[in-house]
Amino acid sequence: MSATEASAPGKIILFGEHAVVYGRPALAAPVTEVRASAIVEDSLASGIRLKAPDLRRDYWMREAKEGDPFARAVQLVLDAAKLLSTPDLTITVQSTIPIASGLGSGAAMAAAVIRALASHLGNVQLATDEQVSALTYQVEQLLHGTPSGIDNTVVSFERPVYFVRRQPQNVIETLSVPEPLRFLVADTGKASPTKLVVGDVRHRWKAERERFERLFDSCGRVAMAARRAIEQGDTARLGSLMVENQAYLRELTVSSASLETLIAAAKDAGALGAKLSGAGRGGNMIALVTESGEEAVRRALYTAGAQNVLSSIVT
Ligand code: PMV
């Protein structure tokens, strides 16, 4: 009886969320301090048993509800592997990534399951970063409707990326980070389902197309400038670009009172820059800090009501 394990990190969007859905560039990085992992084990019972103890779930794949993302991830691998019969397996997924808060927990769980199962089946081609990312994207479509593809890319490749959604192929370039970047990731404690926020932005874009297109252009310009600042190790400039991006996100209506409170607290405590990260209207914000300034910002974030503050170093 053999077992195969794989894992995938959380992620933060550094620049360009929402605008990325509309073809503008965005930057994102893995958060390796939190992870989802999947273990695939051979089983004596017939069929595939899915277990997610964190979510108190334990069920047979054949009984999974329509649209179950865990079952969908497994089915995608089985279909792509073109097996003649369903293997007898137990697949357990666990995660330390907070759910529905912009840290890519859904994508990471899917990527971990897909990579572990593909490896367990001995299908080396399906277990490559590219294939794991492509299949994870299909699970994301179930969760998000119109995902840009940035989440599955970052959690599968586990590298900081410059990303542009394009047909027929997305632009994915690894960022070089000469100076490690230190972020605090603070949770407002308010869950915010990405699908709803992305859908609402689309609705507003349809009603005010020109204004939203201009805002998306501005987000895209900031993302490109941020890439240069990262590659030149210019953290002061990077911080001010975060502040600028946040101003556009506010105009896109995806900020919230609790995000603004945390962002202001971080800046007042000496962060180089701060903005929401991910879909917004709740979830997480990120603050760029120096090593010596980190503790003061962390304390300020908790005092301002953060439910949890993670430290993440992007290299
Ligand atoms: O909420 P998250 O972290 O999954 O981020 C969503 C990012 C968006 O740009 C809002 C949507 C997308 O698919 O890129």
Side-chain angles (χ1 to χ4, degrees), residues 11 13 16-21 101-104 140 144 146-151 192-194 197-198 277-280:
K11 72 101 215 334
I13 296 196
E17 47 275 274
H18 289 289
V20 68
V21 176
S101 62
L103 288 178
E140 286 277 284
H144 287 187
T146 56
S148 62
I150 195 166
D151 282 22
S192 175
T194 300
V197 187
V198 170
S277 176

Side-chain angles (χ1 to χ4, degrees), residues 23-297:
R24 276 42 165 215
L27 311 182
V31 177
T32 53
E33 292 80 359
V34 285
R35 302 190 76 85
S37 66
I39 300 176
V40 180
E41 296 163 284
D42 291 328
S43 158
L44 294 174
S46 156
I48 298 181
R49 186 161 185 169
L50 305 175
K51 293 187 179 186
D54 301 335
L55 305 172
R56 294 201 190 78
R57 300 197 61 198
D58 182 343
Y59 53 110
W60 291 98
M61 168 105 174
R62 55 180 172 266
E63 288 164 5
K65 291 204 186 79
E66 175 78 24
D68 179 290
F70 192 172
R72 168 106 167 129
V74 172
Q75 192 62 51
L76 283 165
V77 176
L78 296 179
D79 290 349
K82 298 195 173 73
L83 298 181
L84 294 175
S85 62
T86 304
D88 300 328
L89 302 168
T90 301
I91 307 178
T92 308
V93 61
Q94 284 184 294
S95 174
T96 55
I97 308 170
I99 299 171
S101 62
L103 288 178
S105 67
M109 281 197 248
V113 167
I114 289 164
R115 198 185 297 274
L117 180 54
S119 310
H120 192 81
L121 298 175
N123 197 321
V124 182
Q125 273 163 348
L126 272 185
T128 60
D129 293 345
E130 285 78 6
Q131 281 304 312
V132 171
S133 180
L135 294 183
T136 301
Y137 180 73
Q138 294 187 43
V139 181
E140 286 277 284
Q141 283 179 312
L142 198 72
L143 297 170
H144 287 187
T146 56
S148 62
I150 195 166
D151 282 22
N152 51 285
T153 301
V154 177
V155 304
S156 304
F157 287 82
E158 219 174 301
R159 290 195 299 253
V161 295
Y162 169 90
F163 178 94
V164 191
R165 182 185 197 183
R166 277 278 158 74
Q167 288 296 345
Q169 202 160 20
N170 296 328
V171 178
I172 300 168
E173 289 164 13
T174 302
L175 290 179
S176 66
V177 187
E179 286 289 319
L181 300 170
R182 193 173 282 269
F183 288 97
L184 290 177
V185 185
D187 193 347
T188 59
K190 304 212 164 51
S192 175
T194 300
K195 191 173 182 169
L196 290 184
V197 187
V198 170
D200 187 54
V201 169
R202 183 162 296 274
H203 186 72
R204 287 166 194 266
W205 167 74
K206 281 186 183 152
E208 283 188 90
R209 210 175 269 243
E210 262 181 41
R211 193 165 76 85
F212 272 63
E213 284 291 325
R214 271 201 305 278
L215 285 168
F216 293 147
D217 282 340
S218 301
C219 294
R221 265 198 305 278
V222 167
M224 284 195 283
R227 178 185 187 168
R228 284 193 294 277
I230 290 173
E231 297 192 330
Q232 290 162 1
D234 188 347
T235 47
R237 167 108 180 105
L238 193 63
S240 60
L241 289 166
M242 289 171 74
V243 174
E244 187 178 345
N245 196 166
Q246 176 60 23
Y248 302 135
L249 289 164
R250 208 177 283 134
E251 281 198 58
L252 290 172
T253 75
V254 296
S255 194
S256 70
S258 47
L259 282 166
E260 291 297 331
T261 303
L262 296 184
I263 289 165
K267 286 196 293 189
D268 289 348
L272 300 171
K275 63 182 278 294
L276 68 83
S277 176
R281 300 220 179 125
N284 282 280
M285 55 76 71
I286 54 175
L288 179 65
V289 294
T290 59
E291 193 174 353
S292 60
E294 177 171 344
E295 260 330 292
V297 178

